[in-house]
Amino acid sequence: MVLKVFFPSCCSSADSGILIGRWISEQNSAVILAVVHFPFIPVQVKQYLGEVQRVTKVSVSVLGSWSNSKQEKEESLSEFLEDLGTIFCHEPWIQISKEGDSKFWSCSTLQKHSKNPQEEEIILVYYDQRKVMLSHLHPPLDTAGQGAEDASKLSAIFDTVARSRVLFMTDRYDEGPIKLTHWQSDGVEASIIVELMKQASVPACMLLTFLLSLVSGICRSRVLKFWPLSFLWSKLSTCEQLGHRLQHLQVISSNKKAQNQNQLMRKANIFVSLLIDVALGILLMSWLYRKNRIGHLADTLIPVADHVAEELQDLLQWLMGAPAGLKMNRALDQVLGRFFLYHIHLWISYIHLLSPFIEMILWYVGLSACLGLTVALCILSDIIALLTFHIYCFYVYGARLYCLKIYGLSSLWRLFRGKKWNVLRQRVDSCSYDLDQLFIGTLLFTILLFLLPTTALYYLVFTLLRLLVVIVQGLIHLLVDLIDSLPLYSLILRLCRSYRLAAGVKFRVLEQQDGKPLRLLMQINPLSYGGVVQTYRLPTYSFYPRDSWASLCKKLFLGELIYPWKHKGEKQN
């Protein structure tokens, strides 16, 4: 049998005493947590360990003795430490001694109550108690078999040290009957700023919770469920982002304590994401209101809209002629061209009607940047959608006309083959047609077939324009999703204190000599940056349906609409 003793490196220079920790019988391992120094009363030690066990729910006990021969020269000390095994009665009784200035330690076990004592091979593993306690082990998600077993063994070590936090809250300056050596024995780590922020966060969270309850009540009111408010709330990306941020604020201001490390990290990531988002929004707002940039932007907006309208008019004039040398149906071509030119005329009139108010609208819209950069980007996306609404209308008209002809041709093609679509059974059945039906079907099929190229060309051009607008909005929402979902706190923690996010451990051999225990140093392997993003990525709301390329091509061929907004239930985790 191999006995593994996990010894904290902070206790290597401690005075002689007894070792307290947890014995893990399943792994034949002992996790040393602290050293109790002389003098002490055994009854008081047992009472203290009972209180620690009641609070931490960890079976803490006296595991053995520790002798620092550099400071203790009495020969009777070793015998006294062996006699302590009869008082505390732990099997096996571990004896660790440091031999003066030598770099080798001696470690042995006593089994007084065993009938057949066996000599065990001992491995002495040093670990950094502070890092192990503050870290959170992230076993690989795809562990199986031996990998999962090793991960469970390591998690037992990490869990033992993390749950024994109460044991580390006493230092050598405490006037108690028991003196301990552990990673905080020289003084408990604390920050005055952190403690003040904890005290101030309680009333701030109560006030924020009250305000959020009022806002949530207004958002859930029946007024917003009536049309057109419900339609605008579901289609505008600004409203979706505000609702998303409202949920984040509710999570942060919740009075419920985080149940585990993942919930705590999620709250911290949301808080840092909101903080950085608002800071970037304030920087954007300060940049916009300097040197009258709002006025310059408003003066530039109208000429840009006029230029886009002129380019569309030139494009329609090109389509009404002989585009790329193609011969189109002149009657249908003229009707469609004039129809779309009239819409452009209406759009230019609408833009010039709003031109006196655009600077005022942009001035108030710029104030929304104080809510965060993501809200400002969503407003920009909605403004782009409004400014290109005529392109969307062209796309819808062309798609509907093209879709009508495609479905008409497919239905008439089934008529030629003696089949029809059964609406009740949702399948194609055989059917017999008379001569008049076949004649009318042939005429309609011929008309639709010869008119299809003209319609398809208009549909293709406006679909490309629509895809261009969708790509621009998609890039904006990609940046919004990146700010919303990126676990910034976890990434900062990985950069500054990588041991807090442990993916595993590695062991380095310190010394090995015959007759002496093997000495290993346990080091923490930090989680990779990709693993941090995958583990702590925040849920986001996708404003675009996640279609595959095959599904998108099918929609484009059949003339189905590509919606620029999020459909219900498309929450991306």
Side-chain angles (χ1 to χ4, degrees), residues 227-468:
W227 196 90
L229 293 179
S230 61
F231 177 81
L232 293 176
W233 183 266
S234 61
K235 303 308 179 185
L236 292 179
S237 57
T238 305
C239 298
E240 293 287 348
Q241 180 63 22
L242 288 175
H244 188 48
R245 284 307 190 193
L246 181 62
Q247 292 181 359
H248 282 175
L249 289 173
Q250 290 175 346
V251 171
I252 294 175
S253 61
S254 175
N255 295 326
K256 294 178 62 177
K257 188 177 180 180
Q259 301 296 326
N260 49 40
Q261 182 72 14
N262 289 332
Q263 292 184 4
L264 182 63
M265 294 291 288
R266 182 172 181 266
K267 279 191 173 184
N269 285 321
I270 291 175
F271 177 75
V272 174
S273 176
L274 279 172
L275 196 64
I276 294 179
D277 186 21
V278 173
L280 292 175
I282 293 175
L283 288 177
L284 176 64
M285 185 175 64
S286 64
W287 180 81
L288 286 175
Y289 287 96
R290 287 179 183 176
K291 299 179 181 179
N292 195 24
R293 288 190 175 94
I294 295 288
H296 296 318
L297 184 63
D299 294 338
T300 310
L301 197 61
I302 299 299
V304 169
D306 291 339
H307 178 71
V308 171
E310 291 176 1
E311 292 294 332
L312 284 176
Q313 287 178 342
D314 295 339
L315 178 63
L316 288 173
Q317 293 291 344
W318 178 71
L319 290 175
M320 291 172 65
L326 298 176
K327 184 173 178 61
M328 315 298 292
N329 186 281
R330 185 165 184 79
L332 180 61
D333 194 12
Q334 292 295 321
V335 169
L336 292 178
R338 291 174 182 176
F339 176 75
F340 291 130
L341 285 174
Y342 178 69
H343 274 72
I344 293 176
H345 173 71
L346 291 178
W347 176 251
I348 295 175
S349 302
Y350 167 71
I351 290 295
H352 285 281
L353 186 65
L354 289 178
S355 58
F357 310 100
I358 286 182
E359 184 175 357
M360 182 181 63
I361 293 173
L362 291 179
W363 195 89
Y364 285 108
V365 166
L367 293 176
S368 64
C370 64
L371 299 176
L373 179 63
T374 55
V375 177
L377 290 175
C378 289
I379 292 177
L380 176 63
S381 176
D382 292 334
I383 290 175
I384 292 175
L386 291 175
L387 292 178
T388 58
F389 185 71
H390 55 305
I391 297 178
Y392 178 72
C393 292
F394 295 165
Y395 165 70
V396 171
Y397 299 151
R400 289 305 185 193
L401 189 59
Y402 175 78
C403 181
L404 178 64
K405 292 192 176 182
I406 288 293
Y407 280 100
L409 288 172
S410 62
S411 178
L412 293 173
W413 178 252
R414 285 193 293 268
L415 182 141
F416 292 154
R417 294 184 298 151
K419 297 181 180 298
K420 71 172 184 177
W421 175 255
N422 193 330
V423 180
L424 296 178
R425 296 187 178 182
Q426 294 294 309
R427 68 182 186 184
V428 177
D429 293 335
S430 300
C431 181
S432 59
Y433 297 98
D434 54 21
L435 187 60
D436 295 338
Q437 290 175 328
L438 291 174
F439 179 73
I440 297 297
T442 304
L443 290 179
L444 292 177
F445 183 83
T446 305
I447 294 173
L448 292 178
L449 183 63
F450 282 102
L451 292 179
L452 181 63
T454 305
T455 308
L457 183 61
Y458 276 87
Y459 168 69
L460 178 62
V461 171
F462 293 133
T463 300
L464 293 177
L465 292 176
R466 178 61 191 160
L467 287 178
L468 181 63

Side-chain angles (χ1 to χ4, degrees), residues 50-114:
E51 292 177 359
V52 172
Q53 186 172 352
R54 178 177 56 83
V55 175
T56 62
K57 307 300 180 183
V58 178
S59 56
V60 181
S61 60
V62 179
L63 301 179
S65 62
W66 159 255
S67 174
N68 192 344
S69 58
K70 183 178 180 180
Q71 300 181 9
E72 298 291 341
K73 301 296 183 180
E74 294 83 357
E75 296 180 356
S76 61
L77 180 62
S78 59
E79 298 179 359
F80 173 71
L81 293 176
E82 290 182 7
D83 294 337
L84 288 176
T86 60
I87 299 176
F88 293 101
C89 300
H90 184 270
E91 195 77 19
W93 182 257
I94 303 172
Q95 289 182 317
I96 304 177
S97 62
K98 186 178 180 182
E99 302 173 357
D101 295 331
S102 175
K103 61 181 180 180
F104 296 104
W105 293 13
S106 63
C107 184
S108 60
T109 59
L110 292 178
Q111 299 180 359
K112 295 183 178 181
H113 302 285
S114 178

Side-chain angles (χ1 to χ4, degrees), residues 109-162:
T109 59
L110 292 178
Q111 299 180 359
K112 295 183 178 181
H113 302 285
S114 178
K115 296 181 180 180
N116 298 318
Q118 298 178 356
E119 185 176 353
E120 295 182 322
E121 182 182 353
I122 300 175
I123 299 177
L124 194 59
V125 182
Y126 298 97
Y127 71 95
D128 193 327
Q129 199 170 55
R130 178 179 179 272
K131 290 184 178 181
V132 172
M133 193 200 72
L134 296 178
S135 64
H136 177 58
L137 185 63
H138 300 75
L141 300 177
D142 54 349
T143 54
Q146 185 66 29
E149 184 179 352
D150 294 340
S152 63
K153 291 180 180 179
L154 287 175
S155 62
I157 308 298
F158 278 73
D159 184 65
T160 300
V161 180

